């Protein structure tokens, strides 16, 4: 069936390094993707989105890359900070949001 | 402007009981969606309402139901609670149901069934 998923359940990075969180999707007709960040005890928070007619989109310290050929999505966080520690989800929006399983990002001092 | 508000934040219920959760969307948002989040299943879509009409429904049993009022506030109800219904229930609001519309989440209601 149609799904989005994440490559790694956990990722640890040193403070100041760049983080890369990956996501794969199965539906080649998918046309809108979103990355969410969820901190402990809170609901998911929108980070950045991208449409299928784009390959790359940049925000503040974050970049999303979309490779439609291999159906792969990645979120890059520059100069990772302790406040970036959270679970990151990729999601596909068609009729509803379908979420991947999430990657727990831990920022090491 | 105020975000999405969910009440109550925490709830403990007994098996067999029913529960009603409430969600107040961001002012001006007419679409409200509900999600169940568990460690095992992750975030799963329950249903979406727009202008008091259910527009989409996930794969949950009929014990899960919802409604939306004319002021866009939404409630979801779970009847005959089971232990497996223990989860974080999240509500998200957006301006519309169309693709590309950003969804804003509340902090959720943590339901524990004992």
């Amino acid at each position: 069936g149609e799904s989005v998923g994440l490559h790694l359940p956990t990722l640890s990075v040193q403070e100041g390094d760049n983080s890369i969180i990956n996501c794969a999707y199965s539906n080649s007709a998918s046309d809108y993707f979103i990355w969410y960040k969820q901190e402990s005890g809170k609901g998911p928070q929108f980070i950045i989105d991208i449409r299928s007619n784009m390959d790359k989109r940049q925000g503040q310290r974050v970049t999303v890359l979309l490779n439609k050929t291999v159906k792969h999505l990645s979120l890059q966080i520059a100069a990772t900070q302790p406040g970036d520690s959270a679970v990151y989800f990729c999601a596909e929006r068609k009729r509803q949001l379908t979420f991947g399983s999430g990657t727990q990002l831990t920022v090491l001092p | 402007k105020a975000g999405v508000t969910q009440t109550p934040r925490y709830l403990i219920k007994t098996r067999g009981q029913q529960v009603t959760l409430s969600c107040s969307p961001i002012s001006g948002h007419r679409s409200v969606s509900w999600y169940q989040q568990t460690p095992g299943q992750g975030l799963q879509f329950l249903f979406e309402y727009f202008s008091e009409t259910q527009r989409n429904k996930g794969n949950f049993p009929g014990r899960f139901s919802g409604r939306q009022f004319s002021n866009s506030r939404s409630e979801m109800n779970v009847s005959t609670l089971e232990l497996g219904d223990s989860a974080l229930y999240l509500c998200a609001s957006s301006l519309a149901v169309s693709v590309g519309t950003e969804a804003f989440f509340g902090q959720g209601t943590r339901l524990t069934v004992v």
Side-chain angles (χ1 to χ4, degrees), chain B residues 69-113:
Chain B
F69 303 95
S70 58
N71 61 358
S72 295
R73 190 178 70 85
S74 178
E75 290 181 347
M76 68 162 281
N77 184 276
V78 188
S79 62
T80 320
L81 284 165
E82 301 176 0
L83 295 179
D85 297 331
S86 295
L88 180 67
Y89 289 88
L90 291 159
C91 163
S93 80
S94 55
L95 282 170
V97 296
S98 58
V99 173
T101 306
E102 185 177 340
F104 296 85
F105 283 82
Q107 291 195 294
T109 294
R110 172 73 63 184
L111 172 65
T112 302
V113 182

Side-chain angles (χ1 to χ4, degrees), chain A residues 31-32 36 38 41-46 49 51 89 93-101, chain B residues 9 35 37 43 45 48 55-56 88 90 94 96-103 105-107:
Chain A
D31 55 10
Y32 180 61
Y36 284 93
Q38 187 175 25
K42 297 185 179 180
Q45 177 187 4
F46 174 93
D49 59 1
R51 287 190 175 273
F89 296 93
R93 168 88 176 188
K94 291 183 77 69
R95 294 190 67 197
Q96 72 259 11
L97 281 170
T98 301
F99 286 85
S101 52
Chain B
R9 288 292 311 278
Y35 295 82
Q37 186 174 29
L43 275 152
F45 171 76
E48 180 173 25
R55 295 302 178 101
N56 200 7
L88 180 67
L90 291 159
S94 55
V97 296
S98 58
V99 173
T101 306
E102 185 177 340
F105 283 82
Q107 291 195 294

